[in-house]
Amino acid sequence: MADVLLTRDGRPAAALWPASGFVHLNHGSYGRVPLAAVDHQQRLRQEMEHGTARFMARAPERVRRSREEIAPFLGVDAQLLALVPNASAGVSTALRSMPLPAGSEVVVTDHAYGAVRMGVDRAAREAGAAVKVATVPLDADAETAADAIWSVVTERTAMIVLDQITSPTARLLPVGEVCARARARGIVTVVDGAHAPLLLTDPVRAAGADVWVGNLHKFASTPRGTAALVAHEGVADRLRPLIDSWGAPHPYPHRFDQQGSDDYTAWLTAPMALHHLEDELGWDRIRAHATSMAERAVARVSEALADTYDDDPAVQVGMPVGPIRLAGLPAAVAVRPDELRARFIAAGFEATFTEHDGRLFWRVSPHAYTTEADLDELIERGLALLSRASTAVGG
Ligand SMILES: Cc1ncc(COP(=O)(O)O)c(C=O)c1O
C-alpha cells in the first residue's frame, strides 16, 4: 500500500479536502467534508437565499431524490431509508416511536456512546422501564460478546440498543447474531451504526436490525447533519420523525422528508459527496488506505510508547475494525481524555482519546488524505505531548 493515496488522475487525495492546518487523525469524530461538497452546499444555500419559498416548496421532492441516490451506497431500498440529522436523533426517533412498556427492560452494553445512553436512560425512566447493561470484555470475540449481551436478556426485555462500531473502544459488536436471536424472541433491536456507513461494506444487511442508524457525516464525509435511518419492513409504519411537520400524514419514509423550516442543503449535498469520492478515489481504495494507515499508526505509536514507558500499553481488541483503531496509553498518562484532546488541538493535532474500564486509549481514525508523513509528525511531536501530560500529573 502506497504511503500517499492518489486520485484517479494522479493528485494526492489530500488535494480534495480544504487545508485544515492540522495533522488530522480523527476523521471518526466529526468527519471532514471534501472541497467540492463544501462548494456544492454553498451553491445550494445561495439558491435557497435567492428564492426561499420556491426552494422550500421543492425541498421534500429533492430530499426524496437524495434518499434514492444514497440508498445504493448503503445497499438498502430507498423506501426503507429516512434521513435524520445525526445518529443521536436516529436512536431518539426509535425510542420515541416504539415506547418501552412499563416494567420492561432495555439492554445496552458498557461500550455504548455516552449521549445515546443518556437518551436510553431517559426513555426508560419516563416509561418505568429498567436499563440492563451487558459487560463486554474488550478482547471478546464475536461469540463471547454475543453471549455477554444475551446474558442480561430476560423475559422482560423489550428492546436491545447496540453499537455496531463502539465509540470508546473502536470494536465491532456481533450485532447480526444478537438481532437475529432477538427477532426470534419478539425483542425490538436498534443498531447505532454511527461510524459504519462506507467504513463497512454492507452494514445494514449485516446488522439485520429493526432500526439501524448511521452517520453519513463521519467516514462517508458528507456535510454534517446527515444520517440515515433504515427501518425493517416490520416496524417502518411505527416510525415517526421527532419533528411533526407537513409530512406527518404521509407514510414512512416520506413523512421524514419535511422537517419544518430547516436547512436541507446537507441532505441535498450528500449524494454528490458520496459520488465525488467514489469517482475521484473509489470507496474500496479509501477503505484499504485508511485501514493500512490505521494499522501503521497503532503499530508505530505502540512501539514508541513501549520504548518510552515501563508498562506495556499494548491492547487486545476483539473484533477490531479496519480504519478505526485503538492504541493503549500507559498508566503514567493520567490525564482526562478531553484535556488530552485539548492539548493536542493546541499543538495542531486533530486527535481523540477515550476511556473505558479504567484505561485510557488513543483512537486513531485516518482517511484517504492521511500520509506516512502525518504519522511521522504524530510520533515526533504527539508522543512528546503525552510525556508532558504524564510529567505534569506526576509533578
Ligand atoms: C457509536 C456512536 N453513536 C452515536 C454517536 C453520535 O453521533 P451524532 O453526534 O452525529 O449524533 C457517535 C459519535 O461519535 C458514536 O460514535
Side-chain angles (χ1 to χ4, degrees), residues 72-269:
F73 284 96
L74 294 171
V76 302
D77 176 353
Q79 282 307 314
L80 295 173
L81 180 145
L83 291 176
V84 290
N86 47 51
S88 309
V91 176
S92 297
T93 301
L95 290 166
R96 285 281 297 279
S97 300
M98 299 182 289
L100 296 161
S104 70
E105 292 171 356
V106 51
V107 167
V108 296
T109 77
D110 59 339
H111 300 247
Y113 184 72
V116 166
R117 174 68 199 277
M118 289 176 192
V120 172
D121 287 350
R122 178 161 82 96
R125 208 165 45 241
E126 289 176 358
V131 180
K132 296 285 169 183
V133 183
T135 302
V136 178
L138 182 56
D139 62 357
D141 62 13
E143 199 183 332
T144 312
D147 287 347
I149 294 164
W150 207 256
S151 73
V152 299
V153 171
T154 71
E155 68 283 357
R156 287 183 297 282
T157 306
M159 184 184 276
I160 302 177
V161 182
L162 286 184
D163 306 273
Q164 191 160 27
I165 297 170
T166 61
S167 172
T169 46
R171 58 158 293 154
L172 293 165
L173 290 176
V175 288
E177 186 183 338
V178 175
C179 289
R181 276 170 87 171
R183 178 155 303 129
R185 289 265 299 264
I187 299 169
V188 171
T189 49
V190 178
V191 166
D192 172 358
H195 290 278
L198 279 299
L199 190 156
L200 301 178
T201 45
D202 202 5
V204 186
R205 204 187 317 267
D210 289 317
V211 176
W212 177 95
V213 299
N215 279 332
L216 295 171
H217 54 227
K218 288 189 186 281
F219 197 80
S221 305
T222 73
R224 275 160 224 97
T226 315
L229 182 155
V230 184
H232 185 268
E233 285 135 353
V235 303
D237 274 354
R238 297 170 65 187
L239 299 177
R240 310 256 159 234
L242 291 175
I243 299 168
D244 283 318
S245 184
W246 294 104
H250 300 321
Y252 179 89
H254 303 279
R255 54 182 169 247
F256 284 73
D257 291 349
Q258 253 172 307
Q259 294 287 275
S261 306
D262 202 351
D263 181 348
Y264 298 93
T265 57
W267 292 4
L268 302 186
T269 303

